[in-house]
Amino acid sequence: MKADFPVAVLLRLWLCLMPGAGFIVPALAQPASEQWQITAVTDGDSLKSGNIRLRLHGIDAPEIAQTCKDASGDNYSCGLQARDYLYGLISPPDSLYCQHLDTDRYRRLIVRCFDRNGRDINAMMVSSGWARAYYHYADDYLPAEQDAKDRRTGIWQGWHQPPWQWRQQKRGQRRQ
């Protein structure tokens, strides 16, 4: 039996290198998940674990001060609702399992996080309608966004400005 183990490992490596078997490589190359104790939900796409800032990969939620319009055309605090929805998913001080994918220019860790049941928190934010797929950086959550649009849930119930445009507009107003 012991001789079979190295053969199995070599077989997997060989399959990864075979032409046409490239689909196996990304699965093996996935970053390992680490458990993070979440101490704060900053907004709909940002968390803290102590002094470490975590930014959820591939999504962009309305900013805290951002307002949107509901189905009746009335303004509401969509940024606060996005933060509150994420808080409800996580319930700090709960732990999440996160894959560290990158570090951004603000020194936040870019992460994909999962709850204890293995559900993708980033995807849950987009499919609930409280975040958009941040297609400028990744297309992972475009199907979840389309589903939320079709169901007219969260920010898709009425009108909203994409968060990246809202931030750009606010930066422009500060320069004037």
Side-chain angles (χ1 to χ4, degrees):
M1 276 300 219
K2 284 188 177 182
D4 292 341
F5 176 72
V7 172
V9 171
L10 289 174
L11 179 60
R12 283 190 196 143
L13 289 172
W14 180 73
L15 285 172
C16 290
L17 298 173
M18 265 181 60
F23 65 91
I24 297 172
V25 175
L28 293 176
Q30 287 292 323
S33 290
E34 296 179 41
Q35 188 171 1
W36 290 87
Q37 180 80 28
I38 303 304
T39 56
V41 175
T42 309
D43 60 25
D45 53 33
S46 302
L47 308 168
K48 281 190 171 182
S49 179
N51 292 327
I52 299 170
R53 296 180 306 152
L54 307 171
R55 173 72 162 79
L56 297 179
H57 162 77
I59 74 171
D60 199 9
E63 297 296 322
I64 290 294
Q66 189 173 346
T67 59
C68 300
K69 293 193 181 294
D70 64 17
S72 303
D74 295 327
N75 287 332
Y76 71 100
S77 300
C78 55
L80 290 174
Q81 288 203 11
R83 183 205 54 201
D84 292 349
Y85 190 84
L86 181 57
Y87 188 91
L89 290 176
I90 296 170
S91 303
D94 204 0
S95 293
L96 294 178
Y97 296 90
C98 300
Q99 297 170 330
H100 177 204
L101 304 172
D102 200 359
T103 303
D104 70 10
R105 65 182 181 208
Y106 305 109
R107 291 187 279 179
R108 297 176 296 188
L109 303 183
I110 306 300
V111 293
R112 177 179 288 123
C113 293
F114 303 88
D115 67 11
R116 293 174 189 216
N117 298 316
R119 295 177 299 190
D120 184 334
I121 297 293
N122 308 31
M124 291 168 70
M125 284 300 294
V126 176
S127 65
S128 70
W130 292 114
R132 291 190 56 154
Y134 206 179
Y135 58 84
H136 299 290
Y137 294 99
D139 60 4
D140 303 39
Y141 303 109
L142 286 173
E145 180 178 286
Q146 187 59 54
D147 180 55
K149 279 184 196 178
D150 293 345
R151 291 183 292 112
R152 302 188 60 73
T153 188
I155 58 177
W156 301 105
Q157 65 184 290
W159 179 86
H160 71 278
Q161 185 174 28
W164 53 88
Q165 288 179 0
W166 189 89
R167 288 189 299 272
Q168 185 177 29
Q169 181 181 0
K170 292 298 172 192
R171 280 192 296 268
Q173 288 174 357
R174 283 189 295 235
R175 290 184 187 134
Q176 295 176 359

